[in-house]
Amino acid sequence: MRCAILGFVGGAAWLQMQAALPAHAPAALAASVAAGVGAAVVLAQVQRWLNRRTGWLRHGLALCAGAAIGFYWAALLAQSALAPKLAKADEGRDVTLIGTIDNLPNRFDGGVRFNFAVEEVERRAMRVPALVALSWYAGYRGEAAPIGDVQPGERWRLTVRLQRPHGNANPYGFDYELWLLEQGVRATGYVRQDGRNQRLASFVVSFGNMVERCRAVLRDRILRALEGKEYAGVIVALVVGDQRGIPQSDWQVFNRTGISHLISISGLHITMIAGLFALAASALWRRSFFTHAQLPLLLPAQKVAALAGLTAALCYVLLAGFGVPAQRTLYMLAVVAVALWTDRLTGVTHVLCLAAGVVVLLDPWAVMWPGFWLSFGAVATILYATVGRAEVRHRSGELAALGAGAAIAGAAAVSAEGWPGVAKPAESEAAVAGPVAGATSPALRHPPRQPLTRHQRWMADLKTAARVQYAVTVGLVPLTMLLFAQVSIVSPLANAVAIPVVSLLVTPLALAGAVLPDFLALPLLQLAHAIIWLLAQALEWLSASRIAVWTAPTPPPWVFCWALFGTTWMLAPRGWPVRWLGLVTWAPLLAAVPSHPSAGAFRVVAFDVGQGMALLVETSGHRLLYDTGPAYSPESNGGNRVIAPYLKARGITALDAMVVSHADADHIGGALAVMDSVRTAWTLSSLPSTHPVVRASALHTPCAAGQHWTWDGVRFDVLHPAAGSYRNPVLKNNARSCVLRISAGGRAMLLAGDIEAAQETELLARAPGALASDVLLAPHHGSGTSSTQAFLAAVQPGYAVFQVGYRNRYHHPQKQVYQRYGGIGAVRLRTDESGALTLEFNGQLAVERYRESHPRYWRQP
C-alpha cells in the first residue's frame, strides 16, 4: 500500500512537469487501474505457485501501478479544471455578472480583491467561467471612485472586464497561472465603475459561504480590537489563516529566523488544539459529565476523545482556508481516529503515506508548492530520527493496568515506531491474549519501573525536544536549500523560543479572544499581541546578524541527492559508523558559487515584470541591474516579487551597479526593495538628489553622455542624457532616460529606456556611429512616440526586446511600431508572450525564451 501511494504521488508530480496533457485521460486511468488490479491478482497466484515470497516484485509493481494511476488521475482533474475557458475574443469586453462573493476579500489601500462565483451572465452571449478573480479599485489615474463593502456570501450584480489567466513567467518566480488553476479561477478582471453595480442579497446560504463569513467576522473583530497595532496581521493569520495582512518586512524577519511556518494555522497548532479538545472530552466523558450515567460503559472514552479532537481539528482547518500543512495534519488525525473507532491498528508510516495520498488525490497541484514537501518532509525526518529510539517511560504499575482497549488506543503507550497513541499489532495481541489465555502479562514478567521525579521527567522531555529539533533542523537543510536557496543558521534558537510562545501562549489567547465576549476578548487579544511584539523584537535582533542566513545557489539535482544521502547518514541510529562524514556531502550544497559568463562575454536577463523594465547584465566578475520594474501595490513590486527571488536563487548577494533610467514608477518601483535585499555598490540614474532612491544609495552618480567603463573585457557606454539637460526644468522624465550601450566581442545591446523621438534625433546627431547594436531594448516599450525609422536604421538591430504587460492599458507595443521592427527584419521578442528572456553574448548570440524552455500545460502560448 505504501509503495502504491508513493507511486501515486510521484505520478501526479510527473504530470505537472508536462508541456501538454495526455489524450484520452479517462480511458488511460481506467486501464491503469485495471492493470494494477490484474498485476496484483497474477502476482498473488504466482506467489502461491512458487511457494516463495515475492516482496520486491510486489513493491515494484505497486510503485509502477500507483505512478500510472497518479499520472492519469492528475491529468483527468487538470482537463476538468482547464475546461471552463474565457474566449480570446471576449477579453477586455464589458459584461454584467450576477454571483456571490466566494472567499475572504483582501482589502488594500487602493481597493479590494475577491473571488466571484458566477451564477448568471446578463445580456451577452459570452461564456464566462464559474469562478473569476476580481479587483475593485478605489480610483483610476488619480480620480477617486466608490467601492462596495463586499462580504463573503453576498450576491452582487457587477459590470466587469475580464481576461484569461496570465502571470509573469520568470526563472525561480512564483507561478501565478498555476496558483489560479489550483484555486479553480479561470479568468481575472476588475469591476467597472458604471453605476450598475449593486448588492442583491446580504447572504446566500451554503456551507462554503458560512465558513467564509465566519472567517470574515473573526478577522474584522480582531482588527477592530487591535486597530493600529503593528502585528494585528499576525494574530489574524493565527486565527483564520489569512496572511495577507502581514507586511513584507515582517516576512523577511520570519524567513531569516526560520519561524515562518508558525505564522499561520500550522500542523503544530492544529495538533495542539485537537489534543486540548480530546483531553477535555475524555476527562468529561470518563466522569460522565459529573453525573451517574456511566457513559464509558456505553462508549470508550478514547473514541470520544478521538472524535472530539478530529472535530476540533476540522473546524480549525476550515478557518485556515484548507492549506496543505493543515490538510496533512487533518488527514493524519483522521486516519488515527478511524483506526481507533474501527479497532484497527496502523503504523505511522501508513498514516503519513495515507495523508499524502489523500492530499494529492484531492489536489494534485499540491506537489508543486514548497509547503507540501516541507510538511511531509519534516514529519518523515522526525520519524526517521526517532523510530525505535524513543525510551518508553511508565509510572509504577501502569502497564499492569492496561487492558485491550487502552492498548488499541495507545493511551499510555508509545509504539515501537515512535508515534504516541498507536500500538503495533504484536503488542496489542499480547495485551489482549495475555489475560484471556492465561499467558503471563509483560507487566507481570518484569517488575514495574520506579516512578520518575518531576525533574527527571522535565529533563527527559527537554532531551526529546532537543533531539527532534536537531533532526528537523539538520534533516531539512537539503530540501530548504533546494526550495529557497538559503538556510537559517539561527533557526534552532529562534524555534526553541518561538514554538512554545506561539503555540502555547499566543495561539490559545488569540483563539479565545476571537470568540469570547468583547469585555473578555479585548484584554486577551491585546495580551496576545504584546507577546508577539516582544517575540518579534527578539527575532529582529536575531535576523539582523549577517550570519543569520546562509545563502548559496539553488543546487542541481545531483548535488541535492548527494546532500540528502549524507543527511540520512548523519541522522542514522547511534552506533552507525562515522555519522559525521555526512557533513562532507554538504560541501557542494553550501559552498557553491553563482555561475557567470566567461571573460569577454556577457549575459542579459530581461525579466518579465509586466508593464515595466528590469534587466540584469552579468560579466565574468560583475553584475549590473538596469531598472527595477513597476510597483504593483504598496507592498508588492518588481523588486521583491521578481528580481530579489531570482538573485537569491542564483546565490547573488551583491550588485556592482544599478542603473535607474528615470523616475517613472514602471522603472523605479522595485529599486528600494532590491537595495534592501542585496548590497548595491553604486547607483547611476537621472533622479533628483532628493529622491528616496538616491538617498538610499551607498554611492550615487548622475548619468551623463560620455561616461564609460570596462568590466572583464565588456565595455559600458552611457549615450544619454547630455549633462546640460539637468538644467532644463521643463524636460519630462522620459527625456532624461539613461541610455546604456553594452558591447564585447563584436556584439552589442542598446538599452534605451523611455526615450522618445526627440531624444532619438538628438542621439543621431550626437553619436550616430555609436548606436549600432545586435539587440535593442525597444524605447518606451514600443510606444507610438518612439522607434523612429531613422533611429532603427542607425541601430540596425537583429533582435528587438519589448518589455510589456499582458494586455496593458497603453496598448504597447503599438501596432505600427511593432510592424516597423518587422519591416527591418528584426526578430521581435515580447516578455508578455515569451516570459523572461536570457541573451548570451559570447561571440555568438543565443536567446532563451522562458515559456518555451519551461513549457507547462497550464501556461498560455
Side-chain angles (χ1 to χ4, degrees):
M1 176 62 75
R2 285 170 293 188
C3 288
I5 294 176
L6 292 176
F8 182 84
V9 173
W14 181 248
L15 186 277
Q16 310 311 329
M17 301 292 106
Q18 304 306 304
L21 293 175
H24 313 298
L29 176 62
S32 299
V33 173
V37 173
V41 173
V42 171
L43 185 62
Q45 188 63 37
V46 169
Q47 183 171 331
R48 281 195 292 268
W49 287 343
L50 299 177
N51 196 24
R52 64 177 64 178
R53 298 186 63 83
T54 55
W56 62 271
L57 184 58
R58 184 174 67 254
H59 295 328
L61 287 175
L63 191 68
C64 294
I69 294 172
F71 183 88
Y72 288 110
W73 171 254
L76 183 64
L77 292 189
Q79 288 178 350
S80 176
L82 289 171
K85 182 184 298 185
L86 184 72
K88 184 75 172 176
D90 291 330
E91 289 186 301
R93 301 171 65 184
D94 287 355
V95 60
T96 300
L97 307 177
I98 295 176
T100 58
I101 311 301
D102 191 62
N103 71 332
L104 193 63
N106 175 29
R107 306 185 190 282
F108 57 98
D109 290 343
V112 60
R113 295 188 180 94
F114 53 91
N115 288 350
F116 195 67
V118 178
E119 299 174 334
E120 182 183 345
V121 181
E122 287 191 353
R123 295 192 303 276
R124 184 178 286 277
M126 64 183 288
R127 183 183 179 188
V128 177
L131 187 65
V132 299
L134 298 176
S135 298
W136 196 339
Y137 296 107
Y140 181 69
R141 293 185 177 178
E143 298 181 3
I147 62 174
D149 181 21
V150 294
Q151 297 293 337
E154 293 179 340
R155 178 178 282 124
W156 281 77
R157 176 190 290 114
L158 298 174
T159 300
V160 303
R161 185 169 289 180
L162 300 174
Q163 68 179 28
R164 298 193 295 177
H166 189 92
N168 299 335
N170 294 283
Y172 313 110
F174 178 74
D175 197 326
Y176 181 61
E177 294 176 41
L178 173 62
W179 183 80
L180 289 177
L181 177 65
E182 185 182 29
Q183 305 301 312
V185 174
R186 299 308 304 143
T188 64
Y190 60 94
V191 178
R192 300 278 288 167
Q193 301 285 358
D194 69 347
R196 300 190 60 211
N197 305 317
Q198 66 178 110
R199 181 187 293 109
L200 301 180
S202 59
F203 189 73
V204 177
V205 178
S206 73
F207 179 75
N209 287 344
M210 288 189 291
V211 170
E212 293 300 322
R213 179 60 68 91
C214 288
R215 297 180 72 205
V217 169
L218 293 177
R219 182 182 67 175
D220 293 344
R221 194 162 189 250
I222 294 169
L223 293 178
R224 284 196 305 270
L226 300 177
E227 185 175 2
K229 297 291 186 180
E230 186 176 1
Y231 295 101
V234 174
I235 302 299
V236 169
L238 292 173
V239 174
V240 299
D242 182 14
Q243 302 175 341
R244 295 171 295 187
I246 302 176
Q248 286 294 321
S249 57
D250 289 344
W251 277 121
Q252 185 175 3
V253 172
F254 299 149
N255 290 331
R256 285 179 62 84
T257 53
I259 64 104
S260 56
H261 63 100
L262 294 175
I263 311 302
S264 64
I265 301 181
S266 67
L268 179 64
H269 301 153
I270 294 167
T271 303
M272 180 196 67
I273 295 299
L276 290 175
F277 273 84
L279 183 64
S282 177
L284 292 173
W285 194 265
R286 283 187 285 108
R287 293 167 177 79
S288 298
F289 293 89
F290 302 99
T291 67
H292 298 288
Q294 296 183 336
L295 295 177
L297 297 179
L298 301 177
L299 187 65
Q302 292 88 350
K303 293 187 177 183
V304 174
L307 182 60
L310 183 61
T311 303
L314 175 61
C315 294
Y316 201 22
V317 168
L318 289 174
L319 285 178
F322 227 63
V324 170
Q327 289 182 47
R328 181 258 302 165
T329 305
L330 177 66
Y331 300 148
M332 292 180 71
L333 293 175
V335 171
V336 174
V338 170
L340 290 170
W341 269 81
T342 59
D343 295 333
R344 295 179 63 86
L345 303 172
T346 187
V348 285
T349 54
H350 290 88
V351 173
L352 188 63
C353 288
L354 281 172
V358 172
V359 170
V360 176
L361 180 72
L362 300 178
D363 180 12
W365 300 281
V367 297
M368 298 299 294
W369 306 113
F372 177 87
W373 301 105
L374 289 175
S375 296
F376 288 99
V379 177
T381 299
I382 293 173
L383 295 180
Y384 173 74
T386 59
V387 163
R389 307 178 215 176
E391 180 183 356
V392 184
R393 293 174 287 121
H394 304 283
R395 293 187 300 272
S396 179
E398 186 177 18
L399 280 178
L402 286 178
I408 295 173
V414 177
S415 75
E417 289 190 312
W419 186 260
V422 183
K424 292 183 70 177
E427 293 170 345
S428 71
E429 290 167 5
V432 175
V436 174
T440 305
S441 169
L444 300 180
R445 290 198 302 266
H446 301 282
R449 298 182 182 183
Q450 293 298 319
L452 298 178
T453 65
R454 179 177 299 179
H455 175 73
Q456 289 172 326
R457 289 198 299 270
W458 272 94
M459 290 303 297
D461 291 339
L462 185 60
K463 289 180 180 179
T464 300
R467 184 164 58 248
V468 170
Q469 182 62 49
Y470 162 77
V472 172
T473 301
V474 172
L476 292 184
V477 165
L479 185 59
T480 304
M481 290 299 300
L482 179 68
L483 297 174
F484 305 114
Q486 69 177 31
V487 61
S488 175
I489 304 299
V490 299
S491 173
L493 176 59
N495 276 279
V497 176
I499 286 176
V501 168
V502 175
S503 299
L504 301 179
L505 292 178
V506 177
T507 301
L509 288 171
L511 286 170
V515 299
L516 289 176
D518 288 343
F519 72 96
L520 293 175
L522 185 60
L524 291 177
L525 289 172
Q526 290 181 339
L527 178 59
H529 183 273
I531 297 173
I532 279 289
W533 184 87
L534 290 173
L535 176 63
Q537 306 312 303
L539 294 176
E540 285 184 9
W541 178 79
L542 278 176
S543 69
S545 171
R546 296 186 65 177
I547 62 171
V549 173
W550 184 279
T551 61
T554 299
W558 75 267
V559 171
F560 167 73
C561 293
W562 178 239
L564 190 63
F565 167 76
T567 303
T568 305
W569 190 280
M570 277 191 288
L571 295 178
R574 185 180 303 172
W576 196 265
V578 288
R579 289 185 296 171
W580 59 269
L581 278 179
L583 283 172
V584 176
T585 65
W586 283 10
L589 183 77
L590 301 178
V593 295
S595 62
H596 53 78
S598 58
F602 67 97
R603 175 192 302 133
V604 178
V605 179
F607 295 106
D608 180 10
V609 292
Q611 184 65 23
M613 281 186 187
L615 302 96
L616 179 67
V617 182
E618 299 181 79
T619 68
S620 63
H622 296 80
R623 291 178 175 88
L624 176 147
L625 183 66
Y626 182 90
D627 281 342
T628 60
Y632 307 124
S633 72
E635 287 290 333
S636 175
N637 53 67
N640 57 30
R641 292 299 187 190
V642 177
I643 301 171
Y646 177 85
L647 296 178
K648 183 170 68 173
R650 289 277 313 280
I652 299 172
T653 59
L655 294 172
D656 296 282
M658 181 168 70
V659 178
V660 179
S661 63
H662 61 294
D664 282 3
D666 58 332
H667 295 252
I668 201 172
L672 293 176
V674 171
M675 290 180 173
D676 286 341
S677 62
V678 297
R679 298 189 304 276
T680 305
W682 171 48
T683 305
L684 184 72
S685 78
S686 60
L687 304 174
S689 59
T690 57
H691 196 281
V693 172
V694 175
R695 293 181 177 275
S697 301
L699 175 64
H700 176 264
T701 302
C703 60
Q707 295 169 331
H708 63 87
W709 65 94
T710 300
W711 283 342
D712 312 310
V714 180
R715 182 179 174 91
F716 296 78
D717 291 280
V718 178
L719 305 181
H720 187 80
S725 66
Y726 291 100
R727 295 190 294 270
N728 186 351
V730 301
L731 282 181
K732 298 189 301 181
N733 290 333
N734 289 352
R736 270 196 284 265
S737 292
C738 301
V739 176
L740 184 65
R741 184 176 184 268
I742 309 162
S743 58
R747 299 285 179 178
M749 181 171 183
L750 184 64
L751 310 180
D754 274 2
I755 61 171
E756 297 180 343
Q759 290 75 52
E760 293 177 357
T761 302
E762 184 180 341
L763 279 169
L764 289 171
R766 185 170 59 241
L771 297 177
S773 301
D774 299 276
V775 182
L776 172 64
L777 177 64
H780 204 182
H781 316 281
S783 75
T785 60
S786 305
S787 301
T788 61
Q789 193 69 51
F791 180 75
L792 295 184
V795 178
Q796 296 180 336
Y799 291 84
V801 174
F802 297 88
Q803 283 193 300
V804 293
Y806 180 69
R807 299 192 64 257
N808 64 87
R809 68 174 182 263
Y810 306 105
H811 305 290
H812 292 162
Q814 292 284 335
K815 183 177 180 180
Q816 70 275 15
V817 173
Y818 195 67
Q819 292 175 344
R820 192 178 302 156
Y821 279 91
I824 64 172
V827 177
R828 295 164 292 185
L829 306 171
R830 300 176 50 151
T831 55
D832 60 337
E833 295 178 351
S834 302
L837 301 165
T838 302
L839 301 101
E840 297 277 357
F841 296 81
N842 189 11
Q844 301 297 321
L845 175 58
V847 179
E848 178 186 299
R849 302 163 175 85
Y850 184 76
R851 286 184 182 266
E852 290 185 8
S853 60
H854 296 77
R856 297 294 183 266
Y857 66 83
W858 59 82
R859 289 181 183 150
Q860 289 192 50

